[in-house]
Amino acid sequence: MKALILAAGEGTRLRPYTLDRPKCLVEVEGVSLLDRQLAVLRSEGVADIALIGGYRSDMLKRQGLGLELNPRYAETNMVWTLFSAEKLLQGELVLAYGDIVYSRKVLRGLLASTADIAVTIDLDWEQYWRARNENPLEDAETLRMDETGHILEIGQKPVSLEQIQGQYMGLMKFSPRGLEILRDTFHRALAAGSLRGKSPEKAYMTDLLQLMIDEGNALSAVKVQGGWVEVDTVSDLESAVTRQRLAAIASAL
């Protein structure tokens, strides 16, 4: 099992904390988000880990970690960053955003999935979002699943809580077949010059996931209840909720 962490963005919503470092190297209680995520991955035996950097990528060079680059990080989004390291999209792969930290329990649930494409979904998202935002619909995305746990809709702008059965976390796992589907879907969109109405350079990961769904591929939800943190803004970074959640994750290592 390998892991690939997307860490190319500038983290403008975390400034001034990201003026001198990548988003994943922002620290909470003296420990960076990246080091916290690496500790969880390694605790479950995932040691073959690579990063895809961009902004201040010189700071991501570490012994024992692979490093690929998206030289166009300032003008592109997640999908383009991912395919900047397409040669790594082989075998079994955990794919994670660089601005999240999750518990061993969450990671175990993902690793245990036998689905070709498994996506962690937080069913207890609303309580967490209300702690982060006065309006829980702010920064939330639609998520609908069928009775078997397959994802039907992901990543759209919601107008009501009823459109959100859980929240996408930015943590997923692909089998070799799942990565083949991922690659084929992207390259068809690239050839067409459009990924769900966006240029492939500007597409978000949820756009690519939704396109795979639209084309009839099964994306299986790995349902969790809390146990993770996203640090996307200054208020996230300075929040007592963030510290409490990270402390709980660290105590279980």
Side-chain angles (χ1 to χ4, degrees), residues 217-248:
N217 298 293
L219 274 62
S220 294
V222 176
K223 300 174 185 178
V224 304
Q225 295 179 304
W228 72 292
V229 168
E230 177 186 41
V231 179
D232 191 44
T233 66
V234 171
S235 60
D236 286 339
L237 181 64
E238 298 175 348
S239 168
V241 171
T242 295
R243 284 165 169 74
Q244 291 164 3
R245 285 187 164 226
L246 287 175

Side-chain angles (χ1 to χ4, degrees), residues 28 31 56 80 87 101 159 176 219 230 240:
V28 180
V31 183
R56 293 306 311 267
W80 200 261
K87 65 183 180 182
V101 183
V159 295
L219 274 62
E230 177 186 41

